[in-house]
Amino acid sequence: MSSSIVVMTQEEILARWRTAGGWEPLPCIAESANPEHLDRLLAAHIDAWYCHTLLTAEPFLLPASDFADDSYARLLADGSAVELTLPSQCLRPTRVKMWGWHRPANVTCDADGSLALMQLNPFSRADRSNPVAIMVSPDTIILYPVPDIGNGTTIETLTGVPAPQAGVYLLTPFLLADMTEKAKTLFNHGLS
């Protein structure tokens, strides 16, 4: 994981959102308001924002971890590709490199796209210099070509965005800036 990652607990991120959004210090009119209710509403917005951003933002803006040691790869029965099973702690795989490949492959989610269809033809199929990784389900990636080292299932690296953990937020500089903007927008438009 990058050294520019800030780890926050739910209490810390709530305090940051309250301050950035202008909810803290609470104005005297909030004497009748329930701060626990505000925290519950904010926590729901924070979790929705965090999950959505981890799934949709450009990968280079997000926290990343290597999941190679926690993944499982096996050769497909026809020997044409490797099936990689992702660990549950990997929310969004971004790059994978198998031993024997010359470079990593970016993970594409278009299982029916032209890149995937090209793997069916031996003349357009990926090679060690231009490998292909296609996500075919939330926990499975198909890798081309099969490395010719060992049994062809040795994962060198598998980089991805870690899945959210309850009450823990991994924040990059982008996420910190985006969080501040979202808190201000939420304050200006109101909680619901």
Side-chain angles (χ1 to χ4, degrees), residues 20-190:
W23 286 288
E24 195 168 275
L26 291 175
C28 61
I29 58 167
E31 210 172 90
S32 61
N34 182 350
E36 292 167 4
H37 180 67
L38 173 64
D39 282 351
R40 280 194 303 276
L41 286 172
L42 276 177
H45 281 280
I46 291 167
D47 287 344
W49 159 79
Y50 188 64
C51 289
H52 174 77
T53 305
L54 291 180
L55 289 169
T56 60
E58 290 294 328
F60 72 91
L61 298 171
L62 303 172
S65 292
D66 188 353
F67 298 99
D69 293 340
D70 301 319
S71 302
Y72 174 74
R74 69 176 186 85
L75 201 56
L76 290 181
D78 65 2
S80 65
V82 173
E83 180 182 76
L84 180 75
T85 303
L86 299 170
S88 60
Q89 62 267 31
C90 181
L91 175 68
R92 182 177 162 198
T94 56
R95 293 171 65 109
V96 62
K97 185 173 188 297
M98 301 295 284
W99 287 104
W101 286 1
H102 297 167
R103 67 175 192 84
N106 292 327
V107 177
T108 180
C109 295
D110 190 3
D112 297 322
S114 61
L115 190 59
L117 294 174
M118 288 172 61
Q119 305 317 304
L120 302 175
N121 183 327
F123 299 106
S124 61
R125 190 171 292 155
D127 60 22
R128 291 182 304 162
S129 296
N130 294 298
V132 172
I134 301 168
M135 193 160 189
V136 294
S137 74
D139 67 345
T140 306
I141 301 173
I142 302 297
L143 306 171
Y144 302 92
V146 174
D148 31 333
I149 293 178
N151 65 0
T153 59
T154 306
I155 308 162
E156 187 174 330
T157 60
L158 171 60
T159 307
V161 177
Q165 299 172 356
V168 178
Y169 302 86
L170 306 175
L171 304 168
T172 60
F174 164 76
L175 288 170
L176 287 167
D178 192 55
M179 174 181 71
T180 301
E181 280 304 307
K182 295 297 187 248
K184 289 177 184 176
T185 302
L186 188 62
F187 180 74
N188 291 332
H189 296 323

